């Protein structure tokens, strides 16, 4: 794409898709002022938002240092998404201490004692480019490194389990049937090769090489390898006790961190991730809740999205991002902000938001 093409495309997108944060914050003078190699790098970072005008964010970092190098373009987008005012410094603090707050959904209503809870953090290793810029060899090398770390967890009393690979010819390879079953169980990630956002960003390239998942025996501690970030580390449980699930992730994350090279972090943005929506804590904590009244039995998400937004929550369909609501209005709700908020704050926001939505649902 030439300089003029990028500029023209973004002008058109800004008119038609005001929600596209990349187009909203695209600064023509800054773009023109970059030297040619930098302009090419930035064009790759924003390609996804140009090719997919309906993007919410419209950019994916290709290397951990992109956030600092291209801050004049990316910082305003990041602040806009996470709700951080321009004049304040961003400080990413961490807090995993569950002892002071009880977040038990069963205390809100007995009917919420058996919801499906999930919390994941996105992490990238500082020793590889981010997934949008990796070669096939690097994807497989990353998977080998992760598989070696999982080998150390295999017999662990708390986190023991299996690594399942979808890389053709891998010693850990699973068949198509098991892969489909794990996707259906909401454990494994979907085939990325059909996702136009990830395709333009290069993140789904070389599919399915270098991709897989670690799963604990109890199937409540999972690690994705080679999706949108190098690693997505998560805890998943049925029940209502968010604290217990958080503790499970905290301890598992610490164990894994000891077995891997350092994660990529930025002084201002905390954990570095492919998508700027995940910077900071890198955490998405979600609940699968049945909200038939608020969603007209799952046929219309407009109202629930509006109500959720005022509570700082995003709504996804029952199959994850870009999917539809499930039976009886089953939706995925999660706090939107991940940067400038601690892990505990994210959990409390989910708890309080779920309580408020439930009150509307049952009123
Ligand atoms: P993320 O981007 O946070 O990793 P996705 O939206 O891509 O998550 O969803 C990944 C998978 O996790 C999907 O199958 C989705 O249905 C599932 N999922 C998300 N939240 C929950 C939850 N609370 N309970 C069960 N499954 C969930
Ligand atoms: Mg996702």
């Amino acid at each position: 794409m030439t300089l003029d093409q990028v500029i023209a495309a973004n002008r058109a997108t800004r008119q038609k898709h005001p929600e596209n944060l990349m187009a909203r914050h695209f600064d023509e003078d800054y773009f023109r002022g970059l030297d040619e190699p930098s302009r090419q790098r930035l064009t790759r970072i924003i390609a996804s938002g140009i090719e997919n005008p309906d993007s919410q964010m419209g950019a994916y970092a290709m290397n951990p240092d992109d956030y600092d190098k291209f801050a004049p373009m990316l910082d305003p987008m990041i602040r806009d998404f996470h709700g951080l005012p321009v004049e304040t410094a961003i400080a990413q603090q961490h807090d995993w201490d569950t002892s002071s707050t009880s977040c038990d959904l069963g205390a809100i209503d007995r009917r919420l004692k058996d919801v499906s809870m999930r919390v994941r953090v996105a992490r990238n290793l500082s020793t590889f480019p981010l997934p949008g810029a990796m070669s096939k060899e690097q994807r497989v090398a990353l998977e080998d490194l992760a598989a070696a770390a999982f080998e150390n967890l295999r017999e662990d009393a708390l986190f023991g389990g299996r690594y399942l690979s979808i890389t053709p010819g891998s010693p850990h390879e699973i068949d198509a049937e098991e892969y489909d079953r794990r996707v259906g169980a909401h454990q494994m990630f979907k085939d990325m090769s059909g996702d136009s956002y990830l395709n333009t960003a290069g993140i789904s390239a070389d599919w399915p090489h270098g991709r897989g998942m670690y799963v604990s025996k109890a199937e409540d501690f999972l690690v994705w390898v080679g999706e949108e970030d190098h690693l997505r580390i998560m805890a998943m449980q049925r029940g209502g006790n968010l604290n217990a699930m958080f503790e499970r992730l905290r301890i598992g994350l610490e164990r894994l961190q000891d077995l891997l090279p350092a994660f990529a972090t930025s002084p201002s943005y905390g954990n570095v991730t492919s998508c700027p929506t995940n910077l900071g804590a890198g955490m998405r904590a979600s609940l699968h809740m049945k909200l038939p009244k608020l969603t007209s039995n799952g046929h219309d998400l407009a109202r629930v999205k509006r109500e959720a937004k005022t509570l700082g929550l995003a709504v996804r369909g029952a199959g994850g991002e870009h999917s539809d609501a499930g039976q009886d209005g089953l939706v995925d709700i999660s706090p939107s902000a991940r940067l400038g908020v601690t892990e505990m704050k994210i959990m409390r926001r989910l708890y309080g938001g779920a309580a408020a939505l439930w009150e509307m649902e049952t009123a």
Side-chain angles (χ1 to χ4, degrees), residues 59-120:
Y60 288 100
M62 297 291 141
N63 283 284
D65 67 351
D66 286 349
Y67 288 107
D68 296 318
K69 174 156 172 70
F70 298 106
M73 167 87 209
L74 299 176
D75 189 72
M77 297 168 51
I78 293 166
R79 288 172 180 277
D80 195 336
F81 177 85
H82 294 275
L84 300 165
V86 180
E87 56 286 358
T88 54
I90 301 173
Q92 181 56 43
Q93 315 226 312
H94 299 282
D95 174 15
W96 288 83
D97 183 1
T98 53
S99 64
S100 61
T101 325
S102 165
C103 290
D104 189 352
L105 293 158
I108 301 171
D109 188 326
R110 283 193 10 241
R111 283 171 286 180
L112 294 178
K113 267 194 160 146
D114 188 37
V115 290
S116 177
M117 312 177 291
R118 175 181 184 260
V119 57
R120 59 84 168 154

Side-chain angles (χ1 to χ4, degrees), residues 88-260:
T88 54
I90 301 173
Q92 181 56 43
Q93 315 226 312
H94 299 282
D95 174 15
W96 288 83
D97 183 1
T98 53
S99 64
S100 61
T101 325
S102 165
C103 290
D104 189 352
L105 293 158
I108 301 171
D109 188 326
R110 283 193 10 241
R111 283 171 286 180
L112 294 178
K113 267 194 160 146
D114 188 37
V115 290
S116 177
M117 312 177 291
R118 175 181 184 260
V119 57
R120 59 84 168 154
V121 289
R123 294 290 186 269
N124 290 281
L125 304 182
S126 52
T127 44
F128 289 96
L130 294 171
M134 288 172 95
S135 66
K136 186 173 169 185
E137 290 68 33
Q138 285 172 321
R139 294 182 202 281
V140 174
L142 168 70
E143 184 186 27
D144 288 346
L145 205 144
F150 300 139
E151 205 49 46
N152 287 292
L153 280 187
R154 245 166 82 100
E155 302 301 330
D156 189 274
L158 285 176
F159 295 97
R162 266 175 78 201
Y163 181 63
L164 316 173
S165 175
I166 53 171
T167 300
S170 159
H172 308 283
E173 190 179 359
I174 54 169
D175 59 23
E177 195 190 325
E178 177 161 17
Y179 171 74
D180 290 342
R181 185 169 63 74
R182 300 274 181 185
V183 173
H186 301 277
Q187 295 176 351
M188 182 56 174
F189 47 98
K190 284 184 277 194
D191 184 338
M192 298 155 78
S193 64
D195 184 316
S196 65
Y197 305 87
L198 300 180
N199 286 346
T200 354
I203 292 174
S204 47
D206 309 310
W207 177 267
H209 293 268
R211 273 75 177 206
M213 172 182 81
Y214 181 78
V215 53
S216 70
K217 284 195 194 85
E219 305 196 331
D220 66 345
F221 178 75
L222 307 145
V223 186
W224 290 357
V225 179
E227 204 238 13
E228 194 181 296
D229 291 292
H230 293 157
L231 301 169
R232 289 271 172 105
I233 303 154
M234 67 201 77
M236 235 172 121
Q237 289 175 355
R238 282 203 82 88
N241 189 349
L242 286 165
N243 286 31
M245 180 182 59
F246 253 61
E247 275 294 293
R248 182 96 178 119
L249 177 62
R250 181 183 66 79
I251 299 166
L253 178 61
E254 276 173 11
R255 288 294 314 275
L256 205 57
Q257 206 158 355
D258 289 342
L259 299 169
L260 290 165

